[in-house]
């Protein structure tokens, strides 16, 4: 007998290739078979790896590369398992059976198909009735089994046996027979299932099936970890008990089953990783492709990520930084923060620095986006009202507070966010949540990404956390890029506005300031500043400046806040200088609004309701509330895409007035708040902003109902901040439109100015934009002015004055004056209707009509036949429309009919106001203060609006008469 060396054995095996397979099948142990199969798997994986980055270039004979490509393209068809009958299997040698298993493993990466075939073969070879497969799921601390294939018989199809997320059975480790095997790794052979306490008899009762014997084994990978459990039930021959031979056969099959499961899981992980990398590439590409609009970017990211995230809903919340919300306080000239007292003559403060929220109430989201798996093309944007009630938003706020990711497997069991079914306002049922904060480059949280309810109903695992972490990083980069781009656009718009302002405005001249400082200031009684029927038309421009100083003096503001006298004089003259000489929204209008506020506080006895700082801020806000008004309304600014419209999304002119007010305060020698402490300074600026923005009638309509409820409820003290802010907002509106409550002769003159400014805008819309203006701004519709005035009074003025009259009879003059003027306007409207009816019944006159768009003061024609004034003492300035928002228009129009609809239309387009020293007056009575000539200046049409009407400023381009026509 010759010695057997390695060369001899190699030579023999090469000449007899079937010998090794036959020997392994007859004598090989499970460990040896697993080691051989593991080696084959490693070699197979090594061949696969080089093809992953570029699967399209895989060699044509690479089966794995082809399968990989099919999985990525979603064209992978499930291969039908070729099933052998019992006779053919039983006549096959053991080595042939295992060779067939090896071939199946090498070509089949769908673990369901592979395991279904293995269970069927085991059933046939062991004469068992049926079998089941359970796979391990969950984290290391919370592992459990889920049924993958259940009740597989030798005749059942894969579709009949496979369990999905909807019907899968979950078995915790250590529970039941399968759970015991998973935990202990032991083989369990039960001869009588009903005698074993671990057996759950409820399944038999529910299905009607009777279980006798069970053989259950663990499926273990090459690292010795349990990855699943398989069991066969009810041996159908002999004494119905599984033998040791059955156990060995089952164990060998499960060895291959474990290899197949491991291969399939590795392959699935490689596909997932490839898709994840592709997603990150898409996100990176999207950041550079879409950076002009934040909403579009977030929507694009969510849509592209939905496939990989595999959840019922994906959400992104963007944080509203309420602690750095002072961007509107930036000085348009130099970009400094007017809220920061370090820019003033006050001590430095950290008010502009970021501070973290201390509770959920301090966390606020500016916007949110929801993407549902069932409707991937429709990204939802919940309202602030829905967010306030949303459970998902509450969880997102919690993540902002914690600053770390939160993974909640079962929200109801968790209990931190309430008990019972967790539903969002839109009816979405929340079960599991994975939430991750989004950081910017400064490591500050700017938003939150959130996944809800995995599609397979399992909790989110570590892989999901890694995905959403990468998703959040790229989301943060995209948001940062968009915000930088938007900030750059805003700064460019601010620069344009600032250059425009600087080219027109300057601080008050030294001589004008010195003149005001040195002159004697008459008393309030001399100017009749405490009267509701105050008339500024008898005052010169210099007298209006002196009257302002008198009001600040009598209100005890100059002494209380230690305002240097030269500073208050320079500031007053600078504010006057920063009003443009438009027809109505000018210095005179602002002066009248301030005088009405002064009268309401002291004559109307509202002064006890406010502190000194509030009085100070209200009077300053009245003087500044229309700074740098251009004689056109908000809608016009938006229509021509002016720099102001680009800078502010809502309340365009109001925000500009406030910013301009801050600019004057920042100008050298004009800081009238310089003696305030940093805390009082911030309060004063906030009150200024609130008061000026409150002159937007869109805000008035939103708040009037709450104010009415307070008054009807008998409110007298207004002791809370909300109530006091509501009162101040209503007072600003009452003062802004107070010309409607003046004596009839003053009301006529003011109405003439307002109509003139409106008509000037209408002329521009006709001649330069090629559009038909609304009736209130159409010079050809001048006959409808009285009707529009009646509608304006009913929709806006009368309700607020009636509420103030209900507060105190000291404010009755405003309500009575408004009623009296409504009667006069209605009589004038009735007269015009009568004349129209009479003229329609007579032959047409040959008198030529004035040319369309002529500059004739058409409002004078209407007012020349006005009724005699009613002897009512009334109050201040502003008459025909300060509405600035479509919502307010709708509200106004709903309350009116007939003529009032024209008022609603005017409300849609915004407000106007009169020019410095341009009050039109018909021989105003003389006072001891010599008046200047206040006949309206002949204002060139082009000077009413300083916009550039070149095609670059128009959204649609139709050439007409040399101008770009807006459609």
């Amino acid at each position: 007998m010759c010695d057997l060396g390695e060369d001899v054995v190699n030579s023999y095996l090469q000449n007899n290739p079937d010998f090794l397979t036959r020997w392994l099948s007859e004598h090989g142990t499970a460990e040896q078979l697993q080691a051989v199969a593991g080696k084959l798997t490693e070699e197979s994986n090594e061949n696969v790896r080089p093809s992953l980055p570029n699967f399209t270039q895989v060699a044509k004979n690479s089966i794995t590369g082809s399968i990989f490509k099919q999985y990525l393209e979603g064209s992978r068809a499930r291969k039908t398992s070729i099933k052998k009958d019992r006779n053919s299997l039983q006549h096959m040698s053991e080595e042939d059976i295992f060779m067939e298993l090896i071939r199946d493993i090498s070509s089949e990466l769908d673990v369901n198909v592979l395991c279904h075939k293995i269970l069927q073969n085991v059933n046939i070879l062991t004469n068992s009735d049926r079998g089941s497969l359970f796979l391990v799921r969950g984290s290391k601390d919370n592992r459990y089994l889920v049924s993958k294939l259940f009740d597989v018989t030798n005749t059942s199809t894969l579709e009949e046996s496979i369990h999905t997320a909807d019907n899968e059975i979950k078995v915790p480790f250590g529970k039941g027979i399968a759970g015991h095997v998973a935990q202990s790794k032991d083989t369990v052979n039960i001869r009588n299932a009903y005698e074993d306490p671990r057996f759950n008899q409820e399944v038999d009762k529910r299905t009607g099936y009777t279980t006798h014997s069970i053989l259950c084994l663990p499926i273990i990978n090459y690292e010795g970890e349990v990855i699943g459990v398989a069991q066969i039930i009810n041996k159908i021959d002999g004494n119905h008990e599984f033998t040791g031979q059955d156990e060995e056969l089952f164990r060998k099959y499960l060895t291959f089953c474990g290899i197949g499961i491991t291969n399939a899981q590795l392959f699935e992980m490689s596909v997932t990783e490839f898709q994840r990398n592709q997603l990150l590439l898409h996100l990176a590409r999207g950041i550079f492709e879409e950076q002009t609009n934040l909403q579009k970017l977030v929507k694009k990211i969510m849509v592209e990520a939905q496939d990989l995230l595999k959840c019922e809903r994906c959400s992104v919340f963007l944080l509203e930084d309420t602690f750095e919300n002072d961007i509107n306080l930036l000085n348009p000239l130099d970009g400094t923060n007017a809220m920061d007292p370090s820019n003033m003559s006050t001590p430095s403060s950290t008010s502009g620095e970021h501070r973290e929220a201390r509770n959920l109430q301090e966390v606020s989201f500016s916007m949110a986006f929801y993407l549902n798996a069932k409707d991937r093309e429709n990204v939802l944007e919940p309202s602030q009202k829905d967010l306030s009630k949303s459970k998902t938003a509450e969880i997102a706020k919690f993540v902002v507070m914690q600053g770390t990711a939160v993974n909640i497997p079962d929200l109801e069991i968790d209990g931190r966010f309430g008990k019972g079914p967790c539903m969002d306002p839109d009816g979405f049922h929340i079960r599991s949540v994975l939430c991750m904060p989004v950081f910017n480059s400064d490591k500050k949280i700017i938003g939150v990404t959130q996944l809800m309810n995995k599609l397979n109903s399992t909790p989110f695992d570590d892989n999901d956390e890694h995905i959403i972490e990468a998703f959040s990083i790229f989301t943060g980069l995209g948001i940062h890029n968009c915000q930088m781009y938007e900030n750059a656009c805003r700064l460019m718009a601010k620069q344009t506005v600032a250059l425009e302002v600087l080219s027109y405005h300057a601080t008050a001249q030294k001589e004008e300031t010195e003149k005001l400082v040195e002159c004697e200031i008459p008393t309030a009684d001399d100017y009749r500043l405490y009267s509701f029927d105050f008339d500024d038309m008898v005052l010169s421009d210099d007298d209006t400046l002196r009257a302002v100083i008198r009001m600040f003096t009598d209100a005890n503001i100059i002494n209380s806040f230690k305002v240097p006298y030269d500073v208050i004089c320079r500031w007053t003259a600078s504010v006057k200088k920063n009003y443009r000489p438009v027809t109505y929204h000018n210095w005179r209008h602002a002066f009248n609004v301030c005088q009405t506020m002064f009268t309401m506080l002291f004559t109307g006895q509202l002064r006890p309701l406010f502190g000194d700082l509030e009085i100070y801020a209200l009077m300053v806000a009245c003087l500044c509330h229309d700074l740098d008004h251009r004689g056109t309304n908000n809608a016009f600014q938006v229509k021509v895409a002016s720099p102001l419209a680009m800078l502010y999304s809502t309340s365009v002119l109001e925000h500009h007035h406030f910013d301009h007010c801050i600019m004057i305060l920042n100008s050298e020698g004009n800081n009238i708040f310089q003696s305030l402490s940093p805390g009082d300074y911030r309060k004063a600026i906030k009150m200024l902003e609130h008061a000026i923005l409150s002159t937007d009638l869109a805000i008035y309509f939103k708040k009037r109902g709450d104010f009415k409820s307070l008054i009807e409820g008998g409110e007298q003290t207004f002791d809370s901040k909300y109530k006091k802010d509501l009162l101040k907002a209503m007072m600003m509106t009452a003062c802004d439109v107070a010309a409607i409550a003046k004596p009839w002769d003053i009301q006529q003159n003011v109405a003439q100015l307002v109509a003139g400014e409106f008509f000037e805008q209408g002329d521009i819309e006709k001649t330069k934009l090629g559009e038909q203006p609304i009736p209130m701004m159409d010079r050809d519709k001048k006959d409808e002015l009285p009707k529009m005035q009646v509608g304006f009074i009913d929709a806006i003025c009368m309700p607020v004055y009636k509420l103030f009259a209900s507060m105190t009879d000291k404010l009755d003059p405003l309500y009575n004056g408004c009623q009296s003027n409504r009667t006069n306007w209605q009589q004038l409207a009735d007269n015009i209707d009568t004349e129209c009816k009479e003229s329609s019944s007579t032959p047409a006159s040959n008198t030529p009509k004035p040319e369309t768009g002529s500059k004739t003061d058409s409002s004078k024609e209407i007012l020349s036949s006005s009724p005699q004034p009613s002897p009512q003492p009334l109050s201040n300035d502003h008459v025909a429309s300060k509405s600035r928002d479509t919502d307010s228009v709708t509200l106004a129009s709903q309350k009116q009919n007939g003529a009032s609809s024209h008022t609603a239309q005017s409300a849609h387009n915004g407000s106007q106001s009169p020019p410095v020293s341009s009050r039109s007056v018909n021989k105003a009575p003389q006072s001891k203060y010599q008046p200047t000539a206040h006949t309206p200046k002949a204002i060139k049409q082009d000077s009413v609006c300083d916009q550039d009407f070149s095609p670059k400023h128009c959204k649609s381009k139709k050439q007409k008469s040399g101008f770009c026509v807006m459609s």
Side-chain angles (χ1 to χ4, degrees), residues 7-64:
D7 293 338
V8 175
V9 174
N10 286 337
S11 176
Y12 179 81
L13 291 177
Q14 288 177 358
N15 296 327
N16 301 275
D18 295 335
F19 175 79
L20 179 61
T21 304
R22 188 167 60 254
W23 188 90
L24 285 173
S25 62
E26 294 175 356
H27 307 289
T29 64
E31 290 76 10
Q32 290 173 331
L33 290 173
Q34 189 168 358
V36 172
K39 181 64 176 177
L40 293 174
T41 301
E42 290 178 6
E43 293 177 356
S44 176
N45 287 340
E46 288 176 0
N47 292 331
V48 171
R49 287 191 192 104
S51 67
L52 287 181
N54 189 1
F55 61 84
T56 58
Q57 298 179 3
V58 175
K60 293 182 179 180
N61 60 353
S62 175
I63 299 175
T64 308

Side-chain angles (χ1 to χ4, degrees), residues 925-944:
Q926 301 295 311
S927 74
K928 57 188 283 189
Y929 307 103
Q930 184 63 33
T932 58
H934 293 301
T935 305
K937 295 179 181 179
I939 301 174
K940 292 183 180 180
Q941 186 170 344
D942 288 345
S943 69
V944 177

Side-chain angles (χ1 to χ4, degrees), residues 323-369:
F323 315 112
E324 295 180 299
N325 219 14
D326 301 327
I327 190 169
N328 288 333
L329 307 186
L330 286 176
N331 186 337
L333 298 181
D334 58 14
T336 58
N337 193 334
M339 278 285 289
D340 187 356
S342 63
N343 296 324
M344 321 300 169
S345 301
T346 54
S348 62
S349 167
T350 59
S351 62
E353 296 179 0
H354 178 84
R355 66 180 178 87
E356 297 296 333
R358 291 186 295 268
N359 53 61
L360 291 180
Q361 286 69 33
E362 289 186 355
V363 180
S364 177
F365 296 113
S366 59
M367 59 185 72
F369 305 90

